[in-house]
Amino acid sequence: MNISLAPVLTPERLAAGYPYTSYRQLIDELLEQQRTTGPNQSEALTNYTQLNVQRMSRIDKTLVLLPELREAVANLAGRYVWLVITEGWCGDAAQIVPVLEAVVQASAGKLTSRYLLRDENLDLMDQYLTNGSRSIPKLVVLQADTLAEITHWGPRPAVAQALFLSLKAEGATHEEYAEKIHGWYGKDKTRSTQQELLQLVQKLT
């Protein structure tokens, strides 16, 4: 674990983050205006966001946490904040953010979550680059009392990240690798994400 004593952000900045329901509501309200989160706006991004809402809603309704993950969060001794850097147009975020929130909801108050938009928080995002890229979603686990970082995770489970890098190396277009990555998520049914989050939570205990 990468334990730091310095707070990652101020309590005021954390409080300005979105709870999950507010994050989802923001995306819905923007879609009604044919818009998405972030400064870049296009028909393609709006269409991705519409798909992402469907993905998040499906996972919210069907997700069943692994019993061992549910037990691990129930046994947490301390209290932590799960700070998630995300955007509504991000397909990986749509597949992962509902899983993160389900773990938080299973923790009986030992975990709380806040969602920050990447492009409104680039100074924070740039502390958590992946191979030099602002890849999201990114989970940063903070001590609840000090807001110091305990560990971080993301943007994808290891298998999905390896697939992504392989496809990029082969010169796949965005549409090609998005199709294959989302196909992988569909077959995996959140298992890899949950297994990696289980390992993370077990380290917290």
Side-chain angles (χ1 to χ4, degrees):
M1 259 187 291
N2 181 27
I3 299 177
S4 167
L5 298 178
V8 168
L9 74 177
T10 64
E12 293 79 13
R13 190 173 182 182
L14 178 66
Y18 296 98
Y20 183 65
T21 53
S22 299
Y23 170 68
R24 293 294 309 277
Q25 183 178 355
L26 171 69
I27 295 171
D28 289 343
E29 290 174 350
L30 287 170
L31 274 175
E32 289 177 1
Q33 307 166 36
Q34 297 299 305
R35 293 173 56 81
T36 186
T37 61
N40 299 320
Q41 300 292 326
S42 69
E43 184 178 355
L45 286 176
T46 302
N47 290 339
Y48 292 146
T49 304
Q50 186 68 61
L51 278 174
N52 290 340
V53 167
Q54 296 170 9
R55 289 169 177 141
M56 288 188 286
S57 296
R58 183 179 66 249
I59 296 171
D60 281 337
K61 291 175 183 175
T62 62
L63 178 66
V64 177
L65 287 183
L66 298 171
E68 55 268 39
L69 178 53
R70 186 175 291 277
E71 181 180 0
V73 292
N75 290 334
L76 282 171
R79 293 183 179 274
Y80 304 91
V81 176
W82 282 28
L83 179 67
V84 183
I85 305 172
T86 183
E87 290 281 356
W89 44 259
C90 176
D92 290 285
Q95 299 282 5
I96 290 168
V97 161
V99 186
L100 298 177
E101 185 63 25
V103 176
V104 170
Q105 294 301 320
S107 73
K110 294 171 183 176
L111 302 176
T112 57
S113 60
R114 281 295 183 273
Y115 295 85
L116 293 181
L117 299 179
R118 184 193 74 173
D119 293 342
E120 293 179 2
N121 297 274
L122 291 179
D123 61 320
L124 189 61
M125 177 73 255
D126 287 350
Q127 298 178 47
Y128 298 100
L129 300 178
T130 303
N131 300 324
S133 173
R134 292 170 171 165
S135 300
I136 51 176
K138 203 76 178 187
L139 165 65
V140 185
V141 180
L142 309 175
Q143 286 277 13
D145 52 352
T146 66
L147 302 185
E149 178 191 340
I150 301 299
T151 189
H152 58 85
W153 179 90
R156 304 174 183 89
V159 175
Q161 180 68 0
L163 175 60
F164 171 78
L165 293 174
S166 173
L167 291 167
K168 291 286 280 186
E170 294 169 5
T173 66
H174 178 273
E175 289 73 18
E176 288 169 343
Y177 71 70
E179 180 181 354
K180 291 188 177 180
I181 291 288
H182 285 294
W184 178 87
Y185 279 119
K187 292 177 183 176
D188 187 71
K189 300 186 185 300
T190 79
R191 285 187 294 266
S192 294
T193 300
Q194 290 198 55
Q195 288 287 356
E196 292 191 19
L197 292 176
L198 172 61
Q199 294 172 16
L200 182 151
V201 170
Q202 286 172 335
K203 290 178 183 176
L204 297 178
T205 60

